Amino acid sequence: GFPDDDPDSDIPANDPNLLRNRPLLDRAIVISAGVIANLIFAYFLLVVQVSVIGFQQINYHPGVTVAGIADNLSTAAGKAGIQANDIVLAVDNEELGSAKPAIVKLMAEIQTHPERPLTFKIQRGAETIDLQVTPDANAEGKGQIGVKLAPNADIIIDRSISPIDALVKGANEFERVVVLTFQGLSQLVTNFGETATQIAGPIKIVEIGSSIASNNIAGLLQFGALISINLAVMNILPLPALDGGQLAFLLFEGLAGKPLPMKIQETVMQTGLFLLLGLGVFLVIRDTANLSSVQQFFK
């Protein structure tokens, strides 16, 4: 809290040490302190993780791995002779490539060819074989073969070898997360209809965090860094009720040579606060209703 905001303060209004009477740069630094603290904390978390645990990196290889197969020889995969841990390299002589798009491409080929034969190029151990697979048609008329697919990839743990290396690798990961955050924000603005449903409130964040803690507690540090960076980025946006909104007022003051009238500033900030609280309440209600435990209760 600042004495500027205390109506009962006995400090004279023209005291040069009140925040509102300080130079523009001083006020900008104070207002930005929360954002700066979020960024420093996120970087600290990433440095600790790469020093103690390391970062998980995925090394993709060509093709798609058959992670599991239905225990039923009557499925298309069973009839064709596909086995668990087989790697599908190509379909009808068209290479699938590497990374996640390979799964999307394979699934699209299967779903669009119900009751129509496809030639799978399979890597099984050291040998490569061709198998003819005829997807079954599901209730929706799409093809299915009865397998569980996964990327063909290895997980590598990248851990720092020295304090300097930890600082460098932490900085690289920090840059990557910041870029991803801005990309996600850009998608929210340019494609709001499809991405708005992915906005998460406090309830959803806790649910995701608890899921990470139960499956891979090491990922909590990166998740914490992600949240902290997101808070910093959102808070610096020039929106009312956020630090970015206050900085926008300072920018106007610097360009115009005088501040906006206090009445206008208060109206803008109060309106922004009302909208922000309304959004927060909406997200809490929506995320609570979507919790699996709540949905089970009403079943």
Side-chain angles (χ1 to χ4, degrees):
F2 294 91
D4 307 52
D5 304 320
D6 184 5
D8 299 325
S9 175
D10 56 0
I11 299 176
N14 60 352
D15 190 301
N17 285 321
L18 287 175
L19 181 62
R20 62 171 175 261
N21 298 328
R22 299 297 299 172
L24 277 175
L25 181 59
D26 289 2
R27 283 182 278 163
I29 292 173
V30 170
I31 292 172
S32 304
V35 173
I36 295 170
N38 277 130
L39 295 176
I40 292 175
F41 180 63
Y43 176 63
F44 170 76
L45 288 177
L46 294 173
V47 170
V48 170
Q49 169 141 356
V50 76
S51 301
V52 178
I53 303 168
F55 295 138
Q56 283 190 356
Q57 294 186 351
I58 301 177
N59 185 24
Y60 290 101
H61 304 290
V64 176
T65 300
V66 177
I69 184 168
D71 189 18
N72 187 350
L73 293 178
S74 65
T75 62
K79 293 176 182 177
I82 294 178
Q83 301 177 8
N85 299 320
D86 281 352
I87 299 173
V88 184
L89 299 176
V91 178
D92 285 348
N93 295 320
E94 185 173 351
E95 300 291 333
L96 295 177
S98 304
K100 292 182 180 179
I103 293 183
V104 176
K105 191 173 181 180
L106 176 57
M107 290 179 62
E109 289 293 318
I110 294 172
Q111 291 175 355
T112 56
H113 289 77
E115 310 296 344
R116 294 159 59 189
L118 295 169
T119 301
F120 281 21
K121 182 180 179 182
I122 301 286
Q123 178 183 329
R124 182 177 296 167
E127 63 175 341
T128 302
I129 58 177
D130 288 335
L131 295 177
Q132 191 173 74
V133 184
T134 303
D136 300 318
N138 61 17
E140 299 175 352
K142 295 182 178 180
Q144 61 181 20
I145 63 174
V147 296
K148 182 179 179 181
L149 303 176
N152 182 22
D154 299 323
I155 296 179
I156 302 172
I157 303 299
D158 183 15
R159 189 174 173 183
S160 63
I161 57 176
S162 69
I164 299 298
D165 186 48
L167 295 175
V168 173
K169 288 181 177 176
N172 292 336
E173 181 66 9
F174 179 85
E175 179 185 2
R176 187 183 74 86
V177 176
V178 169
V179 170
L180 288 176
T181 301
F182 276 106
Q183 288 176 348
L185 185 62
S186 174
Q187 291 178 5
L188 180 62
V189 173
T190 58
N191 194 13
F192 183 80
E194 294 185 9
T195 56
T197 56
Q198 299 176 21
I199 299 176
I203 301 295
K204 188 65 176 178
I205 291 173
V206 171
E207 183 187 19
I208 296 172
S210 64
S211 175
I212 293 175
S214 61
N215 294 308
N216 178 22
I217 196 168
L220 275 180
L221 290 175
Q222 275 180 298
F223 184 61
L226 176 65
I227 292 176
S228 196
I229 290 172
N230 271 269
L231 286 174
V233 171
M234 294 302 297
N235 212 13
I236 204 65
L237 295 177
L239 300 175
L242 301 179
D243 290 340
Q246 295 277 11
L247 291 174
F249 288 149
L250 292 185
L251 178 61
F252 176 87
E253 182 179 342
L255 295 176
K258 60 179 181 180
L260 274 172
M262 188 56 63
K263 184 71 174 177
I264 296 178
Q265 291 191 39
E266 290 178 353
T267 301
V268 171
M269 297 303 281
Q270 288 173 0
T271 303
L273 181 61
F274 175 79
L275 294 175
L276 193 63
L277 290 175
L279 176 62
V281 171
F282 167 76
L283 290 175
V284 167
I285 294 174
R286 187 200 67 180
D287 293 343
T288 302
N290 289 334
L291 286 173
S292 57
S293 58
V294 175
Q295 293 176 348
Q296 287 291 332
F297 174 81
F298 285 104
K299 284 185 178 181

